[in-house]
Amino acid sequence: MTAKIRKAHNPEYLDGYHEGYRLGLCQAVQGLNPPKAEACRPFKLMYVPQGFEAIDTGVKEALQQLVSELVVSTPEAMYETAVRERPEAVLVMNGLHVFPENHLEQIAAIRGLGITAAIWFVDDPYFTEDTAVIWRHYDHVFTHELGAVEFYRSFGAASVHYVPLCVNTGMFHPRRTGPQYKYDIVFIGNAFRNRTELFDQLAPYLSTKKVLIAGGFWERLGRYDQLAPFIRDGFIPPAETANYYSGAKLVINIHRPWENGQDNRNTHQLPSRSINPRTYEISACGTMQLTDVREDLGRFYSPGYDIETFSSAEELKRKMDYYLHHEEERRQIALRGLHTTLRNHTFTARLPQLLDVIAPRK
């Protein structure tokens, strides 16, 4: 056997060839969808991040292109920053988790200065016990959850708008990864009840593949001992998450349950109808995903064309097995998903919807 033939049959060579081919196709898709933003608005906006890097960085970088002046403040110093900078409006991301006890008092004081205050809820409907109170302190309410629009209106909100999440393509994009990120199947997220039930059913199948399951609380699994070799416990930073997405053949997306008491504070029992940010992030990495179905999925992607769906463990197992053995079909769906995401679901594409409300063009 000649050296050339031996090289062509070397598994490492073949893996490198296939990865290079995939990345070349991804680069072609990226070239067809270069980053672009609408004309900058003459507006001074203050942004208050929630402390989640993947979203906050995407929002800040997009707003820097979309408004003439952007001020960024910590949640603790909102009022102090507003007094000093005198923005025309303040946009708060989520208003949960990392925000101080005097959050709402600060917002009231900011509005007392004549400054418009807006909030974008991106954890709806999982914290309605809190958001049902928080929204009342703002002039404008934005939510990524389709079902929450009527929820806030039912309490009397006059300006409430559905603005879905999207993706920070500076962080989530196709990239060459090392062998430590190469897996057949990847899932990254905490072990909510619906996820452990699904993975318990999939355990016999997954145990025969190269699999990564990462996140917290996976000791809740009934078949933990069988899946333990595949589990990486704890939080994975977004940039490393993107490495795992890019290196995987398939990524599973399972939305968290919305019922109150299932790791949630959804005391108003508001059902979830909208897709999570993971949907956009996986597709932005040029990798095929299989997702459970939320009502508004069809607004953003076309199942069977640029994304795949499942409604049961058996259907997911069947589709994983099919696409692991049909590389070209898997690659084509992933490339279409990348194209859809870059064209429609970036922060520079999405945020003008929000700015049309708080900073309308004159």
Side-chain angles (χ1 to χ4, degrees):
M1 183 180 290
T2 67
K4 186 175 182 180
I5 294 174
R6 286 198 301 271
K7 184 177 181 183
H9 285 80
N10 184 296
E12 292 183 2
Y13 173 82
L14 289 173
D15 287 345
Y17 171 81
H18 288 302
E19 180 180 29
Y21 182 61
R22 182 187 80 88
L23 288 175
L25 292 172
C26 287
Q27 289 171 4
V29 172
Q30 290 171 306
L32 293 171
N33 298 278
K36 57 183 178 180
E38 67 168 31
C40 182
R41 302 175 189 228
F43 194 83
K44 186 173 184 177
L45 179 66
M46 186 173 98
Y47 176 62
V48 185
Q50 65 166 343
F52 188 65
E53 181 186 7
I55 293 176
D56 289 329
T57 303
V59 171
K60 286 185 288 188
E61 290 178 353
L63 288 175
Q64 285 168 348
Q65 300 177 65
L66 296 170
V67 298
S68 57
E69 190 170 356
L70 180 68
V71 176
V72 179
S73 172
T74 64
E76 293 77 15
M78 288 188 294
Y79 177 67
E80 176 185 339
T81 306
V83 169
R84 183 179 67 251
E85 298 289 343
R86 295 288 172 160
E88 296 170 76
V90 171
L91 173 63
V92 169
M93 179 59 70
N94 231 4
L96 296 166
H97 313 313
V98 301
F99 279 71
E101 290 185 4
N102 69 344
H103 159 205
L104 300 180
E105 288 83 353
Q106 287 194 72
I107 292 300
I110 288 170
R111 293 177 69 190
L113 298 172
I115 298 170
T116 299
I119 190 164
W120 190 6
F121 290 127
V122 296
D123 273 335
D124 279 336
Y126 308 115
F127 297 91
T128 57
E129 180 176 333
D130 307 287
T131 62
V133 174
I134 293 171
W135 78 264
R136 302 173 186 274
H137 296 259
Y138 285 85
D139 298 291
H140 303 292
V141 176
F142 302 95
T143 175
H144 84 121
E145 168 54 51
L146 183 63
V149 175
E150 288 303 320
F151 173 72
Y152 295 119
R153 284 178 181 163
S154 72
F155 286 106
S159 179
V160 55
H161 310 270
Y162 172 53
V163 178
L165 268 169
C166 43
V167 64
N168 173 5
T169 54
M171 184 172 293
F172 291 92
H173 57 83
R175 79 278 307 273
R176 190 176 298 278
T177 60
Q180 70 270 33
Y181 296 110
K182 305 294 186 186
Y183 288 89
D184 294 331
I185 299 163
V186 164
F187 176 81
I188 298 177
N190 288 330
F192 297 115
R193 171 190 51 78
N194 61 324
R195 295 172 178 174
T196 56
E197 290 177 358
L198 182 69
F199 276 93
D200 276 333
Q201 295 177 69
L202 293 172
Y205 175 78
L206 294 177
S207 64
T208 67
K209 307 298 181 211
K210 188 177 182 183
V211 175
L212 173 73
I213 303 169
F217 313 111
W218 285 99
E219 64 276 6
R220 296 172 176 178
L221 282 165
R223 292 182 167 178
Y224 178 81
D225 289 345
Q226 190 171 1
L227 291 175
F230 310 113
I231 294 172
R232 174 177 165 179
D233 185 54
F235 174 73
I236 297 181
E240 190 174 6
T241 295
N243 285 337
Y244 284 114
Y245 288 167
S246 291
K249 294 179 180 177
L250 295 172
V251 179
I252 302 172
N253 182 11
I254 311 167
H255 292 78
R256 66 189 285 178
W258 54 263
E259 294 86 356
N260 186 48
Q262 300 292 341
D263 302 292
N264 299 323
R265 290 168 57 84
N266 185 12
T267 52
H268 291 270
Q269 292 291 91
L270 182 67
S272 184
R273 299 164 61 187
S274 291
I275 59 177
N276 57 22
R278 186 179 288 112
T279 312
Y280 309 108
E281 292 165 356
I282 298 166
S283 291
C285 291
T287 300
M288 181 179 167
Q289 71 173 295
L290 297 114
T291 181
D292 57 351
V293 180
R294 284 283 173 86
E295 179 183 326
D296 71 352
L297 176 65
R299 291 175 177 237
F300 308 105
Y301 295 94
S302 300
Y305 177 76
D306 52 13
I307 201 168
E308 259 295 2
T309 61
F310 65 89
S311 58
S312 68
E314 185 57 38
E315 183 181 13
L316 176 56
K317 173 186 170 182
R318 185 173 68 251
K319 287 186 175 181
M320 286 191 296
D321 203 55
Y322 178 85
Y323 286 110
L324 285 175
H325 290 91
H326 292 80
E327 182 177 358
E328 182 59 27
E329 291 181 48
R330 183 178 78 238
R331 183 189 298 121
Q332 287 301 316
I333 290 177
L335 290 170
R336 294 184 197 122
L338 175 62
H339 174 80
T340 298
T341 304
L342 294 178
R343 175 158 290 191
N344 301 319
H345 307 313
T346 66
F347 279 103
T348 52
R350 188 82 83 227
L351 286 178
Q353 300 175 35
L354 187 150
L355 293 174
D356 284 343
V357 176
I358 61 176
R361 294 187 181 278
K362 298 177 182 178

